[in-house]
Amino acid sequence: GALRTLCVAALLGALRAGGTELTLELPDSAQRCFHQELESGVKFTLDYQVISGGHYDVDCYVEDPNGKTIYQETKKQYDSFSHHTEVKGVYTFCFSNEFSTFSHKIVYFDFQVGDEPPILPDMSNRVTALTQLESACVTIHEMLKAVIDSQTHYRLREAQDRSRAEELNGRVSYWSVGETLILFAVSIGQVLLLKSFFTEKRPSGGGAGT
């Protein structure tokens, strides 16, 4: 019973591992930066993806506390970057849409700090084989991680597809309104043209008398 409780607690604790997920709006010709203080020798991972706007691309760069650029990509739709810190201090990562003059972007990012803690205490130093319950805990943990990753992936794909569908719907609506206006203009023009064919021209007055 105690081991089962410990297993459940370890699963929940591992699933609540430190990290930040955020979806932000990036206006045209704008840049958004985030800052995180980290110790030296710590691993961090930055995953990001553009959900909507323009060509679904964004510039991204990461700087260490000394101002050195350790990662830089331009016009990327999505990417993942991992790094082990060498110095202690505030690390900065920025998303830039400065190359776009009219397209707003929606950007999702996931910033994870540190390695995942072991699912069971002293698991890395175990000399004996895992019990059936411990093996089940590890298997469930790996399956839950896969489920969470899949849910995040499909959630982002659904948001991206919905944005594209709304954009396409807007274009179709504008095109339909334009076609309707053109149809009315052509119809009125045809009526006026036909009316001019059947209009009797009256002779001008002031004819000579006899």
Side-chain angles (χ1 to χ4, degrees), residues 138-193:
V138 174
T139 302
I140 293 173
H141 175 63
E142 296 298 327
M143 294 175 64
L144 287 176
K145 285 175 55 181
V147 169
I148 292 175
D149 291 340
S150 297
Q151 286 180 335
T152 301
H153 171 73
Y154 288 119
R155 187 172 68 248
L156 293 176
R157 287 294 301 272
E158 188 272 337
Q160 191 177 68
D161 292 341
R162 183 174 65 250
S163 175
R164 289 179 175 174
E166 291 175 352
E167 181 181 358
L168 181 61
N169 180 68
R171 291 183 179 181
V172 171
S173 299
Y174 287 131
W175 181 258
S176 300
V177 172
E179 284 186 328
T180 302
L181 294 177
I182 293 174
L183 181 61
F184 275 119
V186 171
S187 300
I188 294 174
Q190 288 178 341
V191 170
L192 294 177
L193 181 62

Side-chain angles (χ1 to χ4, degrees), residues 45-61:
T45 302
L46 174 65
D47 298 311
Y48 64 92
Q49 179 175 340
V50 181
I51 300 176
S52 67
H55 296 287
Y56 299 88
D57 53 358
V58 71
D59 295 345
C60 180
Y61 68 88

Side-chain angles (χ1 to χ4, degrees), residues 88-157:
K88 177 183 177 180
V90 177
Y91 286 75
T92 303
F93 58 98
C94 299
F95 300 99
S96 174
N97 193 31
E98 294 177 330
F99 60 88
S100 179
T101 56
F102 58 89
S103 296
H104 282 51
K105 308 288 176 63
I106 302 296
V107 181
Y108 162 86
F109 74 86
D110 181 11
F111 187 76
Q112 298 290 334
V113 179
D115 294 321
E116 182 182 349
I119 185 66
L120 296 173
D122 300 327
M123 185 173 177
S124 58
N125 299 324
R126 293 286 295 269
V127 294
T128 59
L130 296 177
T131 65
Q132 185 175 0
L133 180 58
E134 291 172 338
S135 298
C137 287
V138 174
T139 302
I140 293 173
H141 175 63
E142 296 298 327
M143 294 175 64
L144 287 176
K145 285 175 55 181
V147 169
I148 292 175
D149 291 340
S150 297
Q151 286 180 335
T152 301
H153 171 73
Y154 288 119
R155 187 172 68 248
L156 293 176
R157 287 294 301 272

